[in-house]
């Protein structure tokens, strides 16, 4: 999905360059350069982003590790989980994927999203987190 998004952004930027070229004189090859350069940067970035994305569900918390330029490690204590959704937007349905969204009891109303799951895996993650959160209810969060 992230590669598809990269291709769409490259096409959009190339199209925008064509539109600007109608009002300002630009070289004919500029849209191809903009689209190609965007693809050359965005597709490898999407691949590295995918490879660096991971999550683990343990007895005490949900652990997430992600990021290319800035690495982000998130720990969501199970006792802080308010509710869990499995979600499939239009693009996810078209690609056969789903996400699991975890809503936490944080001061920011934070939520955590686990993308790129199969619909069955998203349902399994949702049920696992629900079961573990119910079991953890009443324990200290940290």
């Amino acid at each position: 999905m992230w590669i598809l998004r990269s291709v769409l952004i490259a096409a959009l930027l190339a199209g925008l360059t064509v539109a600007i070229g109608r009002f300002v004189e630009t070289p004919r090859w500029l849209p191809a350069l903009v689209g190609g350069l965007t693809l050359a940067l965005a597709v490898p970035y999407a691949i590295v982003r995918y490879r660096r994305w991971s999550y683990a569900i343990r007895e005490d918390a949900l652990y997430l590790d992600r990021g290319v330029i800035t690495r982000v490690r998130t720990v969501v204590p199970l006792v802080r989980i308010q509710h869990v959704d499995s979600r499939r937007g239009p693009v996810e349905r078209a690609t056969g994927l789903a996400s699991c969204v975890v809503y936490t009891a944080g001061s920011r109303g934070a939520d955590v999203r686990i993308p790129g799951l199969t619909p069955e895996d998203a349902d399994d993650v949702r049920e696992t987190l629900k079961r573990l959160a119910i079991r953890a209810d009443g324990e200290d969060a940290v």
Side-chain angles (χ1 to χ4, degrees):
M1 226 167 63
W2 290 332
I3 291 174
L4 177 62
R5 183 180 303 154
S6 298
V7 171
L8 292 175
I9 288 171
L12 181 69
L13 288 176
L16 186 61
T17 306
V18 168
I20 291 171
R22 296 199 185 269
F23 300 105
V24 179
E25 190 171 328
T26 59
R28 296 182 67 97
W29 48 264
L30 188 61
L33 177 68
V34 168
L37 190 58
T38 303
L39 275 178
L41 295 173
V43 169
Y45 180 84
I47 292 169
V48 172
R49 182 179 176 198
Y50 172 77
R51 289 184 179 161
R52 295 234 174 121
W53 217 111
S54 65
Y55 74 96
I57 301 172
R58 300 206 179 114
E59 292 296 320
D60 62 334
L62 169 64
Y63 296 85
L64 299 136
D65 191 9
R66 61 204 182 278
V68 176
I69 296 170
T70 301
R71 296 295 302 239
V72 179
R73 292 189 172 126
T74 304
V75 178
V76 180
L78 295 175
V79 297
R80 305 297 290 172
I81 293 176
Q82 294 291 306
H83 64 280
V84 184
D85 293 337
S86 52
R87 182 178 296 172
R88 295 188 75 198
V91 176
E92 288 174 318
R93 281 193 305 271
T95 56
L97 297 173
S99 296
C100 186
V101 183
V102 179
Y103 297 91
T104 62
S107 60
R108 297 178 286 154
D111 62 9
V112 175
R113 185 171 169 262
I114 304 172
L117 302 170
T118 65
E120 296 81 19
D121 287 343
D123 291 340
D124 290 344
V125 168
R126 184 190 70 227
E127 290 302 316
T128 300
L129 287 172
K130 180 184 88 169
R131 181 178 37 80
L132 290 171
I134 289 170
R135 188 180 327 155
D137 190 30
E139 297 176 12
D140 288 331
V142 182

